[in-house]
Structure formats: structure tokens, C-alpha cells
Amino acid sequence: MFFLSFQNWVCSQELLRHFWSSYPVTTQSLVNKARRLKDAISQIDTKLESDLRHQVSLVVHPKHQALEAALVHYGADDKKRNAKGPKPNDYV
């Protein structure tokens, strides 16, 4: 069980690094990248939630919070982007 948690930890580090490096979202390619990363983050976040419930490690909670922050940021940015609608020269 510990090994799986460690794998999730390492994977989440990499996902978060790529996620935050894609902001600000200024192209369609970055929109797609952020969406794919959000989906992957959601999956790993579910696994870490399970780890939290089983109290595998006290270090899981801060990572869970970091993943949740990334998901909240994505949601707010996506909502803002969709509310504005694409501009004629956006995402070319």
C-alpha cells in the first residue's frame, strides 16, 4: 500500500508541475493541455483521497490540498474563459 501511495505522490508532483506551467492559458493547445491534466489530476486526486481515508501517510493531506487547488483554479479559469467566449484571434 505504501508503494502505491508513493507512486501517486510522484505522479501528482509531475502532473502539478505540468498543470501550473500551462498557465496562463493563451492558446487552444494550452486549453487542451490544461483539460487533459485536469482529468489526470482528478483521477490521482481520487486515489489520494482513498489514501487519506486509510491514513497511509500524513504527507498525503498536503498533496491532496495542492491537487484540489489546481482543480479549483482550472474550474474558475475555464468558467471565466467560457463566459468571455473566444475572440476572433484567440487560440490561432
Side-chain angles (χ1 to χ4, degrees), residues 40-60:
I41 286 171
S42 292
Q43 290 175 1
I44 198 88
D45 188 47
T46 300
K47 291 176 185 175
L48 285 174
E49 274 186 57
S50 175
D51 289 349
L52 262 177
R53 279 191 292 266
H54 294 101
Q55 298 180 359
V56 171
S57 173
L58 293 177
V59 297
V60 172

Side-chain angles (χ1 to χ4, degrees), residues 22-78:
S22 63
Y23 279 88
V25 174
T26 55
T27 65
Q28 186 61 45
S29 175
L30 288 174
V31 168
N32 295 338
K33 179 181 177 182
R35 184 178 301 120
R36 285 190 314 271
L37 287 164
K38 187 266 306 179
D39 292 342
I41 286 171
S42 292
Q43 290 175 1
I44 198 88
D45 188 47
T46 300
K47 291 176 185 175
L48 285 174
E49 274 186 57
S50 175
D51 289 349
L52 262 177
R53 279 191 292 266
H54 294 101
Q55 298 180 359
V56 171
S57 173
L58 293 177
V59 297
V60 172
H61 186 66
K63 183 58 64 184
H64 174 68
Q65 288 178 315
L67 292 167
E68 288 290 320
L71 292 172
V72 167
H73 180 80
Y74 176 87
D77 185 67
D78 189 52

